Amino acid sequence: MSVPRHVLVLGAGGGSGRQVVSAALRAGHRVTAGVRDPDRFRALGLGADLDEDRRPVVARVDVRDGESLAPAVEGQDVVVFAAGPPGRRAEALYSDGARATVAAMERCGVERFIGITSAGVRDDDPELALWYRVLVRPLLRELYADMRAMERTVRASSLDWTFVRPVLLLDRDPTGTYRVLDGTTPARGRTITRADLAAFVVGEVDRPRWSRRSPTLAQ
């Protein structure tokens, strides 16, 4: 059984964020879901099968706004940044979110940061498929640039950070057979399920093994 920790999941209403919330609740952690629309998140019913005191706390948060972030960050042990834009245009969500989140965490004395970015942020990753480099990366150029800016901001801070970089995410059942390398996509790794991604993230909450590294995940 995990040692219960207080975990804030930013972007908890998104596909990856929901999986992280669910996995953290199953592991026994005290979860705060940071979302822009609390009513919409509550309608998902995550943790509805748990006792009331074990269900996620829902906080209205704008990841670009340090003033809304600080009350949610206060008292946490770990902040998981799972926020992302709905389309392929970043609109500075990652870079603005990083600056606001770092400021709030340093102000509140919270050190552990786990951010979800992408294997695509490494331009020279030799294991990314040719079709991905030729077809996908040009379409997501702005998104990856903003993720890199986010990583630079957090790396330059005082935080104890880990950047989790999955390959193409699938909404399927967990496999439990994913592979992990630091900063490089595992050989012929093309996809990973969001559930496996969440399992890895919560494993880092339970027992940090990838501090100040960039684990890259693939099946």
Side-chain angles (χ1 to χ4, degrees):
M1 182 68 177
S2 304
V3 175
R5 300 184 188 280
H6 290 87
V7 182
L8 169 63
V9 181
L10 298 174
S16 297
R18 293 196 300 270
Q19 291 286 346
V20 172
V21 168
S22 295
L25 290 172
R26 290 194 301 270
H29 297 301
R30 306 289 187 174
V31 179
T32 298
V35 294
R36 298 196 69 171
D37 187 341
D39 290 337
R40 184 176 179 182
F41 179 83
R42 291 189 183 97
L44 297 172
L46 298 183
D49 57 331
L50 300 174
D51 292 340
E52 187 171 354
D53 64 342
R54 299 307 310 276
R55 295 172 190 169
V57 174
V58 183
R60 187 185 302 275
V61 168
D62 179 351
V63 297
R64 303 176 193 264
D65 178 13
E67 291 303 312
S68 75
L69 276 167
V73 169
E74 185 69 44
Q76 303 293 338
D77 297 308
V78 183
V79 174
V80 177
F81 192 103
R88 65 181 188 224
R89 293 187 61 83
E91 298 182 348
L93 175 66
Y94 292 101
S95 51
D96 287 350
R99 285 188 289 271
T101 303
V102 166
M105 291 178 68
E106 290 183 336
R107 172 181 166 186
C108 297
V110 179
E111 297 181 354
R112 185 72 174 119
F113 175 95
I114 301 173
I116 298 174
T117 55
S118 169
V121 302
R122 180 180 168 183
D123 282 332
D124 61 347
D125 188 334
E127 288 297 336
L128 289 178
L130 178 61
W131 64 265
Y132 189 92
R133 296 198 298 268
V134 172
L135 298 176
V136 177
R137 180 177 285 158
L139 294 175
L140 302 180
R141 193 183 311 277
E142 179 197 341
L143 197 71
Y144 290 146
D146 200 42
M147 287 180 179
R148 284 193 289 272
M150 173 189 184
E151 290 195 3
R152 286 194 300 270
T153 295
V154 177
R155 289 171 192 269
S157 74
S158 64
L159 303 182
D160 176 13
W161 53 266
T162 297
F163 280 107
V164 184
R165 296 174 174 177
V167 291
L168 182 65
L169 288 164
L170 302 177
D171 291 312
R172 297 180 182 172
D173 292 336
T175 68
T177 60
Y178 59 88
R179 297 167 292 152
V180 188
L181 288 176
D182 185 18
T184 302
T185 301
R188 296 177 297 282
R190 301 293 180 256
T191 62
I192 187 169
T193 70
R194 292 185 192 275
D196 285 325
L197 166 65
F200 179 85
V201 169
V202 173
E204 279 297 290
V205 170
D206 290 337
R207 185 165 59 168
R209 299 179 181 179
W210 294 82
S211 177
R212 297 185 177 273
R213 293 194 284 171
S214 301
T216 305
L217 279 57
Q219 239 78 60

